[in-house]
Amino acid sequence: MPRVRELEVFRLVLPFGGRQETLLVKLTDHGGMTGWGEAIAPEAKTWTNLEETLGARLIGVDWEHPDSAPSGDPAVDMACWDLWTRMRGVPLAHALGGSRTSLMATVRLTPDPSLESLVSRVNQQVCAGYGHVTLDIRPGWDVEPVRAVRAAYPALTLAVDGAGCYTTPEQLIALDSYGLEVIERPFAVSDPYLHATLQDQVSAAVAVEASTAAELDDYLTLRAGRVLLLRPAAFPSLSETRRAHDRAAAAGWDIQCTGGQGAGLARAATVAVASLPGCTLACDVTQPPRNNQIVDPIVGANAGVIAVPFTQPGLGHTIDEPRVHRLAKDRFRA
């Protein structure tokens, strides 16, 4: 039974990719075992809440399972899962119900100054072993780049991500003639009816992102897509993430796990979730920069494949603590 004797919280400023902030939580039990968690781009109030209340909630409190731990915060929840699974000598992926030992990866490509340059970048990724590519699209940069990539690579599995930039289904229907697997996050508003209208008019699967059970249920009820874009970092706990997976899989939806930001711990949790049986589509943890990571081995793809750490307990990675301390903007210990 875990009993936390010490906790540390670090607010890191990552050196690459726009100076993004991330928050790390380290829990240490009375036997010296540690567990780590991460919250990406935390709000200021999150830091204040953790500093003022986390110690009182956790220090010296016995708990049987991460679901019963007094956390109330995604980073703390992840740290509790990491500690709990390390104490039992089991990988996090296995504890969540995962079974895959490797995952197919997608690589994400941002808009490019020219079509020729974009096709060249796709060629680089295909030569590196990727069989799945996701193109970030925007109004005015959508049909032509998709057409160019499809002409160069007729058999490539291709998806697009609208990042919420579109307002009507008509703006996206023209893409359907290019054999897309998935259209991710098409609309700026979380409107299930708008997504359902698009799904009715395209053969590609529409991928929606939800962070609550009620939001997901609205999409499932209206059949407003066929893919759940599952981002563990958006959920309050890993158990909630697993429940969203179960609901989508029971409805016959495919699931794509995504989460490429942060210092590596959130990526590792994404990989663990992606090993679940319903996560049938390519996993997206490949967003740069990899040099921000404080875990060993780093989380990413090799020749288009992501290894799931099924031989190491917990998240399956060691933490470069000296680097954590170097990158820390603020920290506290309780």
Side-chain angles (χ1 to χ4, degrees):
M1 177 182 296
R3 175 182 289 184
V4 175
R5 67 170 172 83
E6 181 181 89
L7 67 91
E8 294 179 83
V9 182
F10 305 88
R11 184 161 57 188
L12 273 57
V13 178
L14 302 180
F16 303 99
R19 306 285 291 174
Q20 182 190 44
E21 288 194 4
T22 192
L23 185 148
L24 303 184
V25 171
K26 177 186 178 183
L27 304 180
T28 305
D29 83 330
H30 282 267
M33 189 72 72
T34 60
W36 288 78
E38 178 177 19
I40 299 169
E43 299 178 2
K45 65 180 182 181
T46 301
W47 174 266
T48 302
N49 290 341
L50 290 176
E51 188 172 23
E52 293 177 352
T53 66
L54 182 56
R57 292 200 308 264
L58 273 174
I59 297 295
V61 177
D62 293 325
W63 42 275
E64 292 282 353
H65 186 274
D67 286 346
S68 62
S71 64
D73 178 84
V76 180
D77 175 79
M78 187 189 303
C80 288
W81 275 97
D82 189 35
L83 175 61
W84 186 74
T85 49
R86 287 181 188 274
M87 291 180 68
R88 282 154 179 76
V90 299
L92 175 62
H94 179 74
L96 291 173
S99 57
R100 291 187 176 90
T101 58
S102 63
L103 311 168
M104 181 175 68
T106 187
V107 62
R108 181 176 299 274
L109 298 181
T110 56
D112 204 275
S114 72
L115 296 178
E116 293 77 10
S117 177
L118 174 65
V119 172
S120 176
R121 289 166 62 203
V122 172
N123 179 66
Q124 292 175 356
Q125 300 302 331
V126 171
C127 291
Y130 283 94
H132 191 291
V133 171
T134 301
L135 301 179
D136 286 345
I137 59 171
R138 304 291 185 270
W141 178 264
D142 41 31
V143 175
E144 291 302 321
V146 170
R147 179 187 293 129
V149 172
R150 178 56 74 214
Y153 295 95
L156 180 65
T157 303
L158 191 61
V160 295
D161 182 359
C165 290
Y166 292 83
T167 56
T168 66
E170 289 71 25
Q171 295 172 285
L172 293 157
I173 291 172
L175 295 172
D176 202 44
S177 60
Y178 299 104
L180 297 178
E181 179 187 55
V182 177
I183 300 174
E184 298 178 18
R185 302 186 301 167
F187 302 119
V189 293
S190 300
D191 185 344
Y193 292 97
L194 196 59
H195 288 79
T197 300
L198 176 62
Q199 186 63 89
D200 286 342
Q201 298 183 64
V202 296
S203 56
V206 175
V208 301
E209 188 169 1
S211 57
T212 67
E215 186 180 6
L216 176 57
D217 285 344
D218 287 342
Y219 285 112
L220 295 176
T221 299
L222 291 172
R223 300 180 181 177
R226 298 202 305 269
V227 171
L228 172 62
L229 200 61
L230 188 60
R231 190 183 305 273
F235 286 81
S237 69
L238 289 174
S239 290
E240 282 294 313
T241 306
R242 173 61 200 255
R243 281 189 280 272
H245 162 278
D246 293 348
R247 289 186 188 211
W253 283 33
D254 290 311
I255 299 170
Q256 178 182 5
C257 276
T258 184
Q261 298 295 335
L265 293 170
R267 293 188 193 206
T270 299
V271 170
V273 172
S275 71
L276 293 170
C279 299
T280 51
L281 300 184
C283 183
D284 181 8
V285 294
T286 57
Q287 288 176 294
R290 292 158 64 99
N291 289 338
N292 279 342
Q293 296 192 46
I294 50 83
V295 297
D296 182 31
I298 61 174
V299 184
N302 182 18
V305 176
I306 303 166
V308 180
F310 259 101
T311 59
Q312 300 295 326
L315 287 166
H317 301 262
T318 58
I319 311 301
D320 186 347
E321 293 198 46
R323 190 159 194 254
V324 170
H325 286 268
R326 289 197 302 271
L327 295 176
K329 177 182 179 182
D330 293 300
R331 58 175 294 196
F332 71 83
R333 175 184 295 174

Coordinates of all heavy atoms in Angstrom, one line a residue, residues 79-163:
A79 N 1.5 10.4 -11.6 CA 2.6 10.1 -10.7 C 2.1 8.9 -9.8 O 2.9 8.0 -9.4 CB 3.0 11.3 -9.8
C80 N 0.9 8.9 -9.3 CA 0.4 7.8 -8.5 C 0.4 6.5 -9.3 O 0.7 5.5 -8.7 CB -1.0 8.2 -8.0 SG -1.1 9.5 -6.7
W81 N -0.1 6.6 -10.5 CA 0.0 5.4 -11.4 C 1.4 4.9 -11.5 O 1.6 3.7 -11.5 CB -0.7 5.6 -12.7 CG -2.2 5.5 -12.7 CD1 -3.1 6.5 -12.6 CD2 -2.9 4.3 -12.9 NE1 -4.4 6.0 -12.7 CE2 -4.3 4.6 -12.9 CE3 -2.5 2.9 -13.1 CZ2 -5.3 3.6 -13.0 CZ3 -3.5 2.0 -13.2 CH2 -4.9 2.3 -13.2
D82 N 2.3 5.8 -11.8 CA 3.7 5.4 -12.0 C 4.3 4.7 -10.7 O 4.9 3.7 -10.8 CB 4.5 6.6 -12.4 CG 5.9 6.3 -12.8 OD1 6.1 5.2 -13.5 OD2 6.9 7.1 -12.6
L83 N 4.0 5.4 -9.6 CA 4.5 4.8 -8.3 C 3.8 3.5 -8.0 O 4.5 2.5 -7.7 CB 4.1 5.8 -7.2 CG 4.4 5.3 -5.7 CD1 5.9 5.1 -5.6 CD2 4.0 6.4 -4.7
W84 N 2.5 3.4 -8.2 CA 1.8 2.1 -7.9 C 2.3 1.0 -8.8 O 2.4 -0.1 -8.3 CB 0.3 2.4 -8.1 CG -0.6 1.3 -7.7 CD1 -1.0 0.9 -6.4 CD2 -1.4 0.5 -8.6 NE1 -1.9 -0.1 -6.5 CE2 -2.2 -0.4 -7.8 CE3 -1.5 0.4 -10.0 CZ2 -3.0 -1.4 -8.3 CZ3 -2.3 -0.6 -10.5 CH2 -3.1 -1.4 -9.7
T85 N 2.5 1.2 -10.0 CA 2.9 0.1 -10.9 C 4.4 -0.2 -10.7 O 4.8 -1.4 -10.8 CB 2.7 0.5 -12.4 OG1 3.2 1.8 -12.7 CG2 1.2 0.5 -12.7
R86 N 5.2 0.8 -10.4 CA 6.6 0.5 -10.1 C 6.7 -0.4 -8.8 O 7.5 -1.3 -8.7 CB 7.4 1.8 -9.9 CG 7.7 2.5 -11.2 CD 8.5 3.7 -11.0 NE 8.6 4.5 -12.2 CZ 9.5 4.4 -13.1 NH1 10.4 3.4 -12.9 NH2 9.6 5.1 -14.2
M87 N 5.9 -0.1 -7.8 CA 5.9 -0.9 -6.6 C 5.5 -2.4 -6.9 O 5.9 -3.3 -6.2 CB 4.9 -0.3 -5.6 CG 5.4 1.0 -5.0 SD 4.3 1.7 -3.8 CE 4.5 0.5 -2.4
R88 N 4.6 -2.6 -7.9 CA 4.2 -3.9 -8.2 C 5.0 -4.6 -9.3 O 4.8 -5.7 -9.7 CB 2.7 -3.9 -8.6 CG 1.8 -3.8 -7.4 CD 0.5 -3.1 -7.7 NE -0.3 -3.1 -6.5 CZ -0.2 -2.3 -5.5 NH1 0.8 -1.4 -5.6 NH2 -0.9 -2.3 -4.4
G89 N 6.0 -3.8 -9.9 CA 6.8 -4.4 -10.9 C 6.2 -4.6 -12.2 O 6.6 -5.5 -12.9
V90 N 5.1 -3.9 -12.5 CA 4.4 -4.1 -13.8 C 4.4 -2.8 -14.6 O 4.4 -1.7 -14.1 CB 2.9 -4.5 -13.5 CG1 2.9 -5.8 -12.7 CG2 2.1 -3.4 -12.8
P91 N 4.4 -2.9 -15.9 CA 4.4 -1.7 -16.8 C 3.0 -1.0 -16.7 O 2.0 -1.7 -16.5 CB 4.6 -2.3 -18.2 CG 5.1 -3.7 -18.0 CD 4.5 -4.2 -16.7
L92 N 3.0 0.3 -16.8 CA 1.8 1.0 -16.8 C 0.8 0.5 -17.9 O -0.4 0.4 -17.7 CB 2.0 2.5 -17.0 CG 0.8 3.4 -17.1 CD1 0.0 3.4 -15.9 CD2 1.2 4.8 -17.5
A93 N 1.4 0.2 -19.1 CA 0.5 -0.2 -20.2 C -0.2 -1.5 -19.8 O -1.4 -1.6 -20.1 CB 1.4 -0.5 -21.4
H94 N 0.4 -2.4 -19.2 CA -0.2 -3.7 -18.7 C -1.3 -3.4 -17.7 O -2.4 -4.0 -17.7 CB 0.8 -4.6 -18.2 CG 0.3 -5.9 -17.7 ND1 -0.2 -6.9 -18.6 CD2 0.1 -6.4 -16.4 CE1 -0.6 -7.9 -17.8 NE2 -0.5 -7.6 -16.6
A95 N -1.0 -2.5 -16.7 CA -1.9 -2.2 -15.7 C -3.2 -1.6 -16.2 O -4.3 -1.8 -15.6 CB -1.3 -1.3 -14.6
L96 N -3.1 -0.8 -17.3 CA -4.3 -0.2 -17.9 C -5.0 -1.1 -18.8 O -6.2 -0.8 -19.1 CB -3.8 1.0 -18.7 CG -3.3 2.3 -18.0 CD1 -2.8 3.3 -18.9 CD2 -4.4 2.9 -17.1
G97 N -4.5 -2.3 -19.1 CA -5.1 -3.2 -19.9 C -4.6 -3.4 -21.3 O -5.2 -4.0 -22.2
G98 N -3.4 -2.7 -21.6 CA -2.8 -2.8 -22.9 C -2.1 -4.1 -23.2 O -1.7 -4.8 -22.2
S99 N -1.9 -4.4 -24.4 CA -1.3 -5.7 -24.8 C -0.3 -5.5 -25.9 O 0.5 -6.4 -26.1 CB -2.4 -6.7 -25.2 OG -3.1 -6.2 -26.3
R100 N -0.3 -4.4 -26.7 CA 0.6 -4.3 -27.8 C 2.0 -4.0 -27.3 O 2.2 -3.2 -26.3 CB 0.1 -3.1 -28.7 CG -1.1 -3.4 -29.5 CD -1.4 -2.3 -30.5 NE -2.6 -2.6 -31.3 CZ -3.8 -2.2 -31.0 NH1 -4.0 -1.5 -29.9 NH2 -4.8 -2.5 -31.8
T101 N 3.0 -4.5 -28.0 CA 4.4 -4.2 -27.6 C 5.0 -3.2 -28.6 O 6.1 -2.7 -28.3 CB 5.2 -5.5 -27.7 OG1 5.1 -6.1 -29.0 CG2 4.7 -6.5 -26.6
S102 N 4.3 -2.9 -29.7 CA 4.8 -1.8 -30.6 C 3.6 -1.2 -31.3 O 2.5 -1.8 -31.4 CB 5.7 -2.4 -31.6 OG 5.1 -3.4 -32.5
L103 N 3.7 0.0 -31.7 CA 2.7 0.8 -32.3 C 3.1 1.4 -33.6 O 4.3 1.9 -33.7 CB 2.2 2.0 -31.4 CG 2.0 1.6 -29.9 CD1 1.9 2.9 -29.1 CD2 0.7 0.8 -29.8
M104 N 2.2 1.5 -34.6 CA 2.5 2.2 -35.8 C 2.4 3.7 -35.5 O 1.5 4.1 -34.7 CB 1.5 1.9 -36.9 CG 1.8 2.6 -38.2 SD 0.8 2.0 -39.6 CE -0.8 2.7 -39.0
A105 N 3.3 4.5 -36.0 CA 3.4 5.9 -35.7 C 3.0 6.7 -37.0 O 3.2 6.3 -38.1 CB 4.7 6.4 -35.3
T106 N 2.3 7.9 -36.7 CA 2.2 8.8 -37.8 C 3.2 10.0 -37.6 O 3.6 10.2 -36.4 CB 0.7 9.4 -37.8 OG1 0.6 10.2 -39.0 CG2 0.4 10.2 -36.6
V107 N 3.6 10.6 -38.7 CA 4.4 11.8 -38.5 C 3.6 13.0 -39.0 O 2.9 12.9 -40.0 CB 5.7 11.6 -39.4 CG1 5.4 11.5 -40.9 CG2 6.6 12.8 -39.1
R108 N 3.7 14.1 -38.3 CA 2.9 15.3 -38.6 C 3.7 16.3 -39.3 O 4.8 16.7 -38.9 CB 2.3 15.8 -37.3 CG 1.4 17.0 -37.4 CD 0.9 17.4 -36.0 NE 0.1 16.3 -35.5 CZ -1.2 16.2 -35.8 NH1 -1.8 17.0 -36.6 NH2 -1.8 15.2 -35.2
L109 N 3.2 16.8 -40.4 CA 3.9 17.8 -41.2 C 3.1 19.1 -41.3 O 1.9 19.1 -41.7 CB 4.1 17.3 -42.6 CG 5.0 16.0 -42.7 CD1 5.2 15.6 -44.2 CD2 6.4 16.2 -42.1
T110 N 3.7 20.2 -40.9 CA 3.1 21.5 -40.9 C 3.0 22.1 -42.3 O 3.7 21.6 -43.3 CB 3.8 22.4 -40.0 OG1 5.2 22.5 -40.4 CG2 3.8 21.9 -38.6
P111 N 2.2 23.1 -42.6 CA 2.2 23.7 -43.9 C 3.5 24.2 -44.4 O 4.4 24.6 -43.5 CB 1.2 24.9 -43.7 CG 0.3 24.5 -42.6 CD 1.1 23.6 -41.7
D112 N 3.7 24.2 -45.7 CA 5.0 24.4 -46.3 C 4.9 25.6 -47.2 O 3.9 25.9 -47.8 CB 5.5 23.2 -47.0 CG 7.0 23.1 -47.1 OD1 7.5 23.7 -48.1 OD2 7.6 22.5 -46.3
P113 N 6.1 26.3 -47.4 CA 6.0 27.4 -48.4 C 5.7 27.0 -49.8 O 5.2 27.8 -50.6 CB 7.4 28.0 -48.3 CG 7.9 27.6 -47.0 CD 7.3 26.3 -46.7
S114 N 6.0 25.7 -50.2 CA 5.7 25.3 -51.6 C 5.3 23.9 -51.6 O 5.6 23.1 -50.7 CB 6.9 25.5 -52.4 OG 7.9 24.5 -52.1
L115 N 4.5 23.5 -52.6 CA 4.1 22.1 -52.8 C 5.3 21.2 -53.0 O 5.4 20.1 -52.5 CB 3.2 22.0 -53.9 CG 1.8 22.7 -53.8 CD1 1.0 22.5 -55.0 CD2 1.1 22.2 -52.6
E116 N 6.3 21.7 -53.7 CA 7.5 20.9 -54.0 C 8.3 20.6 -52.7 O 8.7 19.4 -52.5 CB 8.4 21.6 -55.0 CG 7.9 21.8 -56.4 CD 6.8 22.9 -56.5 OE1 6.7 23.6 -55.5 OE2 6.2 23.0 -57.5
S117 N 8.4 21.6 -51.9 CA 9.0 21.4 -50.6 C 8.3 20.4 -49.7 O 8.9 19.5 -49.0 CB 9.2 22.7 -49.9 OG 9.8 22.5 -48.6
L118 N 6.9 20.5 -49.7 CA 6.1 19.6 -48.9 C 6.3 18.1 -49.4 O 6.5 17.2 -48.6 CB 4.6 19.9 -49.0 CG 3.7 19.0 -48.3 CD1 3.9 19.0 -46.8 CD2 2.2 19.4 -48.7
V119 N 6.3 17.9 -50.7 CA 6.4 16.5 -51.2 C 7.8 16.0 -50.9 O 8.0 14.8 -50.5 CB 6.2 16.5 -52.7 CG1 6.6 15.2 -53.3 CG2 4.7 16.8 -53.0
S120 N 8.8 16.9 -50.9 CA 10.2 16.5 -50.5 C 10.2 16.1 -49.0 O 10.9 15.1 -48.7 CB 11.2 17.6 -50.7 OG 12.4 17.3 -50.3
R121 N 9.5 16.8 -48.2 CA 9.5 16.4 -46.8 C 8.8 15.1 -46.5 O 9.2 14.3 -45.7 CB 8.8 17.5 -46.0 CG 9.7 18.8 -45.8 CD 8.8 20.0 -45.3 NE 8.3 19.7 -44.0 CZ 7.2 20.3 -43.5 NH1 6.5 21.1 -44.3 NH2 6.8 20.0 -42.3
V122 N 7.7 14.9 -47.3 CA 7.0 13.6 -47.2 C 7.9 12.5 -47.6 O 8.0 11.4 -47.0 CB 5.7 13.6 -48.1 CG1 5.1 12.2 -48.1 CG2 4.7 14.6 -47.5
N123 N 8.7 12.7 -48.7 CA 9.6 11.7 -49.2 C 10.7 11.4 -48.1 O 11.0 10.2 -47.9 CB 10.3 12.2 -50.4 CG 11.3 11.2 -51.0 OD1 11.0 10.1 -51.4 ND2 12.6 11.6 -50.9
Q124 N 11.1 12.4 -47.4 CA 12.1 12.1 -46.3 C 11.5 11.2 -45.2 O 12.2 10.3 -44.7 CB 12.5 13.4 -45.7 CG 13.4 14.3 -46.6 CD 13.7 15.7 -46.0 OE1 13.2 16.0 -44.9 NE2 14.4 16.5 -46.6
Q125 N 10.2 11.4 -44.9 CA 9.6 10.6 -43.8 C 9.3 9.2 -44.3 O 9.5 8.2 -43.6 CB 8.3 11.3 -43.4 CG 8.6 12.7 -42.8 CD 9.5 12.7 -41.6 OE1 9.6 11.7 -40.9 NE2 10.2 13.8 -41.4
V126 N 8.9 9.1 -45.6 CA 8.7 7.7 -46.1 C 10.0 7.0 -46.2 O 10.0 5.8 -45.8 CB 8.0 7.8 -47.5 CG1 8.0 6.5 -48.2 CG2 6.6 8.4 -47.4
C127 N 11.0 7.6 -46.6 CA 12.3 6.9 -46.6 C 12.8 6.6 -45.2 O 13.6 5.6 -45.0 CB 13.4 7.8 -47.3 SG 13.1 8.0 -49.1
A128 N 12.4 7.3 -44.2 CA 12.7 7.0 -42.8 C 11.9 5.9 -42.2 O 12.1 5.5 -41.1 CB 12.6 8.3 -42.0
G129 N 10.9 5.4 -43.0 CA 10.2 4.3 -42.5 C 8.7 4.5 -42.1 O 8.0 3.6 -41.8
Y130 N 8.3 5.8 -42.3 CA 6.9 6.1 -41.9 C 5.9 5.6 -43.1 O 6.2 6.0 -44.2 CB 6.7 7.6 -41.7 CG 7.2 8.0 -40.3 CD1 8.5 8.5 -40.2 CD2 6.4 7.9 -39.2 CE1 8.9 8.9 -39.0 CE2 6.8 8.3 -38.0 CZ 8.1 8.8 -37.8 OH 8.5 9.2 -36.6
G131 N 4.9 4.9 -42.7 CA 3.9 4.5 -43.6 C 2.6 5.3 -43.5 O 1.6 5.0 -44.1
H132 N 2.6 6.2 -42.5 CA 1.4 7.0 -42.2 C 1.9 8.5 -42.0 O 2.8 8.8 -41.2 CB 0.7 6.5 -40.9 CG -0.6 7.1 -40.7 ND1 -0.8 8.4 -40.3 CD2 -1.9 6.5 -40.7 CE1 -2.1 8.6 -40.1 NE2 -2.8 7.5 -40.4
V133 N 1.2 9.4 -42.7 CA 1.5 10.8 -42.6 C 0.3 11.6 -42.4 O -0.8 11.4 -42.9 CB 2.2 11.3 -43.9 CG1 2.4 12.8 -43.9 CG2 3.6 10.6 -44.1
T134 N 0.4 12.6 -41.4 CA -0.7 13.5 -41.1 C -0.3 14.9 -41.6 O 0.7 15.4 -41.1 CB -1.1 13.5 -39.6 OG1 -1.4 12.2 -39.2 CG2 -2.2 14.5 -39.3
L135 N -1.1 15.5 -42.4 CA -0.8 16.9 -42.9 C -1.7 17.9 -42.1 O -2.9 17.7 -42.1 CB -1.1 17.0 -44.4 CG -0.4 16.1 -45.4 CD1 -0.9 16.3 -46.8 CD2 1.1 16.3 -45.3
D136 N -1.0 18.9 -41.6 CA -1.8 20.0 -41.0 C -2.3 20.8 -42.1 O -1.5 21.3 -43.0 CB -0.9 20.8 -40.1 CG -0.6 20.1 -38.8 OD1 -1.3 19.1 -38.4 OD2 0.4 20.5 -38.1
I137 N -3.6 21.1 -42.1 CA -4.2 21.9 -43.2 C -4.9 23.1 -42.6 O -5.3 23.2 -41.4 CB -5.2 21.1 -44.0 CG1 -6.4 20.5 -43.1 CG2 -4.5 19.9 -44.8 CD1 -7.5 19.9 -43.9
R138 N -5.1 24.1 -43.5 CA -5.8 25.3 -43.1 C -6.6 25.8 -44.4 O -6.3 25.4 -45.5 CB -4.9 26.4 -42.8 CG -3.9 26.1 -41.6 CD -4.6 26.0 -40.3 NE -3.7 25.7 -39.2 CZ -3.3 24.6 -38.8 NH1 -3.7 23.5 -39.4 NH2 -2.4 24.4 -37.8
P139 N -7.7 26.6 -44.2 CA -8.3 27.1 -45.4 C -7.3 27.8 -46.3 O -6.6 28.7 -45.9 CB -9.4 28.1 -44.8 CG -9.7 27.5 -43.5 CD -8.4 27.0 -43.0
G140 N -7.3 27.4 -47.6 CA -6.3 28.0 -48.5 C -5.1 27.1 -48.6 O -4.3 27.2 -49.6
W141 N -4.9 26.2 -47.7 CA -3.8 25.2 -47.8 C -4.3 23.8 -47.4 O -4.2 23.4 -46.3 CB -2.6 25.6 -46.8 CG -1.5 24.6 -46.8 CD1 -1.3 23.6 -45.9 CD2 -0.4 24.5 -47.8 NE1 -0.1 22.9 -46.3 CE2 0.4 23.4 -47.4 CE3 0.0 25.3 -48.9 CZ2 1.6 23.1 -48.1 CZ3 1.1 24.9 -49.6 CH2 1.9 23.8 -49.2
D142 N -5.0 23.3 -48.4 CA -5.7 22.0 -48.1 C -5.8 21.1 -49.3 O -5.1 20.1 -49.4 CB -7.1 22.2 -47.4 CG -7.9 23.3 -48.0 OD1 -7.7 23.6 -49.2 OD2 -8.7 23.9 -47.3
V143 N -6.6 21.5 -50.3 CA -6.8 20.6 -51.5 C -5.5 20.4 -52.3 O -5.1 19.3 -52.6 CB -7.9 21.2 -52.4 CG1 -8.0 20.3 -53.6 CG2 -9.3 21.1 -51.6
E144 N -4.8 21.5 -52.6 CA -3.6 21.4 -53.4 C -2.5 20.6 -52.7 O -1.9 19.7 -53.4 CB -3.1 22.8 -53.8 CG -4.0 23.5 -54.7 CD -4.2 22.8 -56.0 OE1 -3.3 22.1 -56.5 OE2 -5.4 22.8 -56.5
P145 N -2.2 20.8 -51.5 CA -1.2 20.0 -50.9 C -1.6 18.5 -50.8 O -0.7 17.6 -51.0 CB -0.9 20.6 -49.5 CG -2.1 21.5 -49.2 CD -2.6 21.9 -50.6
V146 N -2.8 18.2 -50.4 CA -3.3 16.8 -50.4 C -3.2 16.2 -51.8 O -2.7 15.0 -51.9 CB -4.7 16.7 -49.8 CG1 -5.3 15.3 -50.0 CG2 -4.7 17.2 -48.4
R147 N -3.6 16.9 -52.8 CA -3.5 16.4 -54.2 C -2.1 16.1 -54.6 O -1.7 15.1 -55.1 CB -4.1 17.4 -55.2 CG -4.0 16.9 -56.6 CD -4.5 18.0 -57.6 NE -5.9 18.3 -57.4 CZ -6.4 19.5 -57.3 NH1 -5.6 20.5 -57.2 NH2 -7.7 19.6 -57.2
A148 N -1.1 17.0 -54.2 CA 0.3 16.8 -54.6 C 0.9 15.6 -53.9 O 1.6 14.8 -54.5 CB 1.1 18.1 -54.2
V149 N 0.6 15.5 -52.6 CA 1.1 14.3 -51.9 C 0.5 13.0 -52.4 O 1.2 12.0 -52.5 CB 0.9 14.5 -50.3 CG1 1.3 13.2 -49.6 CG2 1.7 15.7 -49.8
R150 N -0.8 13.0 -52.6 CA -1.4 11.8 -53.1 C -0.9 11.4 -54.5 O -0.7 10.2 -54.8 CB -2.9 12.0 -53.1 CG -3.7 10.8 -53.7 CD -3.4 9.5 -52.9 NE -4.0 9.4 -51.6 CZ -3.4 8.9 -50.6 NH1 -2.2 8.3 -50.7 NH2 -4.0 8.8 -49.4
A151 N -0.6 12.4 -55.3 CA -0.1 12.1 -56.7 C 1.3 11.5 -56.6 O 1.7 10.6 -57.4 CB 0.0 13.4 -57.5
A152 N 2.1 11.9 -55.6 CA 3.5 11.4 -55.5 C 3.5 10.1 -54.8 O 4.3 9.2 -55.0 CB 4.3 12.4 -54.7
Y153 N 2.5 9.8 -53.9 CA 2.5 8.6 -53.1 C 1.0 8.0 -53.1 O 0.3 8.2 -52.1 CB 2.9 8.9 -51.6 CG 4.4 9.3 -51.6 CD1 4.7 10.6 -51.6 CD2 5.4 8.3 -51.6 CE1 6.1 11.0 -51.6 CE2 6.7 8.7 -51.6 CZ 7.0 10.1 -51.6 OH 8.4 10.4 -51.6
P154 N 0.7 7.3 -54.1 CA -0.7 6.8 -54.2 C -1.1 5.9 -53.1 O -2.3 5.8 -52.8 CB -0.7 6.1 -55.6 CG 0.4 6.8 -56.4 CD 1.5 7.1 -55.3
A155 N -0.1 5.1 -52.6 CA -0.5 4.1 -51.6 C -0.2 4.5 -50.2 O -0.5 3.7 -49.2 CB 0.3 2.8 -51.9
L156 N 0.2 5.7 -49.9 CA 0.5 6.2 -48.6 C -0.7 6.4 -47.8 O -1.7 7.0 -48.3 CB 1.3 7.5 -48.7 CG 1.7 8.2 -47.4 CD1 2.7 7.3 -46.6 CD2 2.3 9.6 -47.6
T157 N -0.8 5.9 -46.6 CA -1.9 6.2 -45.7 C -1.8 7.6 -45.2 O -0.8 8.0 -44.6 CB -1.9 5.2 -44.4 OG1 -1.9 3.9 -44.9 CG2 -3.1 5.5 -43.6
L158 N -2.8 8.4 -45.5 CA -2.7 9.9 -45.4 C -3.9 10.4 -44.6 O -5.1 10.0 -44.8 CB -2.7 10.5 -46.7 CG -2.4 12.0 -46.9 CD1 -1.0 12.3 -46.4 CD2 -2.6 12.4 -48.3
A159 N -3.6 11.2 -43.6 CA -4.7 11.9 -42.8 C -4.4 13.4 -42.8 O -3.3 13.8 -43.1 CB -4.7 11.4 -41.3
V160 N -5.5 14.2 -42.5 CA -5.3 15.6 -42.4 C -5.8 16.1 -41.0 O -6.7 15.4 -40.5 CB -6.0 16.4 -43.5 CG1 -5.4 16.0 -44.9 CG2 -7.5 16.1 -43.5
D161 N -5.3 17.2 -40.5 CA -5.7 17.7 -39.3 C -6.1 19.2 -39.5 O -5.2 20.0 -39.8 CB -4.6 17.6 -38.2 CG -5.0 18.2 -36.8 OD1 -6.2 18.6 -36.7 OD2 -4.2 18.1 -35.9
G162 N -7.4 19.5 -39.3 CA -7.8 20.9 -39.5 C -7.6 21.8 -38.3 O -7.8 23.0 -38.5
A163 N -7.3 21.2 -37.2 CA -7.0 22.0 -36.0 C -8.1 23.1 -35.7 O -7.8 24.1 -35.2 CB -5.6 22.7 -36.1

